[in-house]
Amino acid sequence: MAEVALRWKAEKNRGLFAIVDDADLPLVIGHKWRAHRVKGSHTVYAKTWTRNGTIFMHHLIVGRRRGKEVDHRDGNGLNNRRTNLRHVTHQENLQSCFDMRRERQFQAWYDEKLQELS
C-alpha cells in the first residue's frame, strides 16, 4: 500500500492523501493529483488533468465501463486499492451509499446507548 499526496485549494483539504496498491503506483505517480469534493456530499476523490480532460484516480486504476460506475466499497473516495473498487450500476452505487449511511447511523446510536449504560 502506498500513499499519494494531494494538492489542495481549500484549507479543509490540506494534508489529504490517496491510498493505492504498490503495483498501481507507477500508474499514478506521474500526475499532479488534487482533492476534489463532490458538491452536496462529504466524499472526496483524487483527480488530475490530462490532455484528454479530467480523470479520477479510481478510473485510471480500474478503467471505465459503459453503463457502470466505480464504487468504493468502504465509502472512502481516497481509498483506491483494487480490493476496494468495483464496477456497479448507478442504482447499486446509490444503494451502497444508503446502506453505509444507515450503518453509520446505527453505530452512532449503538455507541450512544453503550455510553448511557456505562
Side-chain angles (χ1 to χ4, degrees), residues 64-69 87:
R64 298 183 79 169
R65 293 186 185 164
R66 183 179 297 268
K68 299 285 185 172
E69 298 177 357
H87 288 99

Side-chain angles (χ1 to χ4, degrees), residues 32-51:
K32 294 178 181 177
W33 295 99
R34 288 205 179 271
H36 175 77
R37 189 175 305 270
V38 177
K39 271 189 180 178
S41 171
H42 297 288
T43 307
V44 178
Y45 298 98
K47 76 174 183 178
T48 191
W49 289 267
T50 67
R51 56 186 121 104

Side-chain angles (χ1 to χ4, degrees), residues 99-113:
D99 291 345
M100 278 187 277
R101 186 179 311 123
R102 185 171 36 186
E103 187 177 311
R104 281 193 300 268
Q105 289 171 343
F106 173 78
Q107 188 63 48
W109 173 84
Y110 182 77
D111 291 345
E112 183 180 313
K113 293 300 177 191

Side-chain angles (χ1 to χ4, degrees), residues 12-13 15-16 31 38 43 46 48 50 62 67 70 74-75 91-92 100 111 113 117:
K12 63 184 171 187
N13 293 338
L16 291 178
H31 299 279
V38 177
T43 307
T48 191
T50 67
V62 296
V70 177
D74 66 357
Q91 187 168 350
E92 290 169 330
M100 278 187 277
D111 291 345
K113 293 300 177 191
L117 294 173

Side-chain angles (χ1 to χ4, degrees), residues 1 5 9 13 21-22 31 33 38 40 46 48 53 67 73 76-77 87 91 94 114 118:
M1 179 178 74
K9 283 186 179 178
N13 293 338
D21 293 320
D22 291 333
H31 299 279
W33 295 99
V38 177
T48 191
R73 293 175 195 262
N76 179 354
H87 288 99
Q91 187 168 350
L94 290 176
L114 280 180
S118 300

